[in-house]
Amino acid sequence: MDRRQVLAYRIAEHGLHRSARDVADLAVVRAGLQDSMRDTALLAAVARVPSASLVDDDRLVLAWTLRGAPHYHLRAALDEVARALIPLDDADALARMLWQRQELTATGLAAAEVVFTAAKAIRGVVTSEMTKGAVSTAVTKVVPPEFSRWCRGCNATHIHEQLMRIAAPLGGVRLVAGATPATLAPLEGRGRMRTKPDPAAATSVVESYLRLNGPASPGEAAEFVGTARAVVDRTWPSDLAEVRVDGKVRYLPAASLPALENPPEPDVVRLLPPWDPFIQARDKALLVPDPARRKEVWKMLGNPGVLLAEGDIAGTWRTKASGAKLKFTLTAFDPLRPASREAAEAEAALVATARGFEKHDVTWVAS
């Protein structure tokens, strides 16, 4: 396979042909839809189902899950997601925490025990809706001091941010969708806290990544999950097809091979937000082969949105609010067909409406 065929397959798997009528039917929602920036998840959903609404959809729940990032999940599937997040061992826990070994040694506990201790503390504190700051303050008082650090931004000592994020779902705690500041709440009907690893659930997360963003390597899957490569090797799905993409060996669920071999024509135009599932694939060199253009798509701070057109990542886009108007700046990497430019401007109107703006305008600039 070459990259163009892989991209065509992914465009279809990600629901970007708009064949689904309901967000609950989208594979990207079933896998978890990240919401790390303003309206990120909403705009990702609208790129697939223009009438999508997330905050008011009772079938969805927002929680810190994959890599500790906030994701929308189907409420009915969140229990399985939480089981997949239980560390399989100390190496898995350490990788998910992003801690230094010296910090871990200071606690006197194994890495997994640190996670479970934090999860129990958060569970005990969050018995009703509480702001993130209030939760952090309360939890910091009841966990060992080695679990905390001095935060210059907050001018306070509090529990490590990543530890809090990966422990919260294990403690049966969710985020309140649409709340500002970030607010936590107990999951409705949460049962007893689990600490027993579930390798089958962990495998399902890897398989979901391979289905959406395959063919992919074990290392890419590990980076997406947020754990060590050796952990993914232990939860690697069994029924996979081996595929060579531009000469490199990659893997895909065997059941998805016919779709890869004969994907639909990928000529759709979409404005994808930063952190859209399509650009969450870890093989960035396949998505954007040119190094200079990769730097334009993935920045240290302030990633732009991505223009998908003519079967490829064709440029970037940014917005700036001005009263009731949302101003778009679209940058195409190469000249686009007039029909693609017209379609991109129509997508801008859709984005503006989704974000609640009455007016918008579009400016094209050269790359």
Side-chain angles (χ1 to χ4, degrees):
M1 306 290 175
D2 62 22
R3 64 174 294 272
R4 298 284 295 192
Q5 187 161 354
V6 170
L7 292 181
Y9 164 80
R10 292 183 187 177
I11 288 169
E13 288 297 307
H14 278 255
L16 290 166
H17 287 278
R18 290 183 175 154
S19 56
R21 297 183 179 181
D22 190 335
V23 292
D25 296 330
L26 292 171
V28 295
V29 172
R30 295 195 297 271
L33 189 59
Q34 187 168 336
D35 192 37
S36 292
M37 297 175 62
R38 176 181 171 84
D39 297 325
T40 293
L42 173 62
L43 297 185
V46 166
R48 295 156 173 85
V49 178
S51 61
S53 176
L54 301 179
V55 172
D56 300 325
D57 194 329
D58 291 337
R59 299 169 301 171
L60 304 177
V61 61
L62 184 66
W64 285 319
T65 55
L66 300 169
R67 304 175 305 282
H71 285 74
Y72 279 97
H73 294 274
L74 293 176
R75 190 176 296 272
L78 188 60
D79 184 65
E80 181 180 4
V81 173
R83 294 200 307 273
L85 299 174
I86 298 173
L88 297 180
D89 54 23
D90 286 338
D92 189 13
L94 185 61
R96 292 176 188 270
M97 280 193 294
L98 306 178
W99 271 23
Q100 299 296 319
R101 294 186 181 276
Q102 185 175 355
E103 293 176 303
L104 178 63
T105 301
T107 69
L109 299 171
E113 189 60 27
V114 169
V115 175
F116 297 139
T117 300
K120 291 174 184 176
I122 293 170
R123 183 184 183 89
V125 166
V126 183
T127 57
S128 61
E129 290 191 9
M130 298 174 64
T131 64
K132 175 187 171 187
V135 173
S136 179
T137 298
V139 169
T140 300
K141 292 179 180 179
V142 298
V143 297
E146 293 83 6
F147 286 32
S148 305
R149 68 175 182 86
W150 171 258
C151 176
R152 181 181 300 175
C154 298
N155 195 32
T157 297
H158 56 68
I159 185 172
H160 282 258
E161 174 77 10
Q162 182 68 1
L163 176 58
M164 183 176 175
R165 285 172 174 252
I166 67 171
L170 304 187
V173 172
R174 64 176 175 87
L175 293 164
V176 177
T180 303
T183 302
L184 285 74
L187 279 167
E188 295 78 2
R190 63 184 181 182
R192 187 174 61 182
M193 181 176 146
R194 295 188 180 94
T195 58
K196 183 179 180 180
D198 190 335
T203 296
S204 71
V205 173
V206 175
E207 186 173 17
S208 177
Y209 176 79
L210 295 176
R211 187 180 306 113
L212 277 170
N213 293 310
S217 70
E220 290 160 358
E223 185 180 344
F224 176 82
V225 172
T227 189
R229 160 68 189 272
V231 175
V232 166
D233 286 344
R234 292 167 49 198
T235 57
W236 193 239
S238 58
D239 190 15
L240 299 178
E242 183 178 301
V243 180
R244 289 188 177 272
V245 180
D246 291 338
K248 298 179 180 179
V249 175
R250 296 292 184 264
Y251 300 91
L252 184 81
S256 298
L257 191 56
L260 174 64
E261 292 175 331
N262 189 31
E265 177 60 42
D267 194 14
V268 299
V269 177
R270 301 288 182 262
L271 295 186
L272 305 181
W275 306 107
D276 184 274
F278 187 79
I279 52 177
Q280 284 279 11
R282 271 23 192 190
D283 50 357
K284 295 178 180 178
L286 183 140
L287 289 176
V288 182
D290 183 87
R293 291 177 176 179
R294 281 203 298 275
K295 291 181 180 179
E296 291 302 310
V297 173
W298 293 282
K299 293 181 173 291
M300 290 295 293
L301 293 171
N303 286 346
V306 162
L307 169 62
L308 182 67
E310 301 176 11
D312 212 336
I313 291 179
T316 61
W317 62 278
R318 293 186 180 275
T319 59
K320 183 178 181 180
S322 177
K325 180 182 286 188
L326 189 63
K327 297 183 177 182
F328 288 78
T329 300
L330 273 62
T331 304
F333 291 146
D334 295 304
L336 295 173
R337 300 194 305 262
S340 295
R341 289 170 63 99
E342 184 177 344
E345 292 174 9
E347 291 297 306
L350 186 62
V351 168
T353 299
R355 290 191 56 186
F357 286 87
E358 299 175 1
K359 302 177 181 178
H360 77 284
D361 62 30
V362 176
T363 299
W364 290 89
V365 300
S367 175

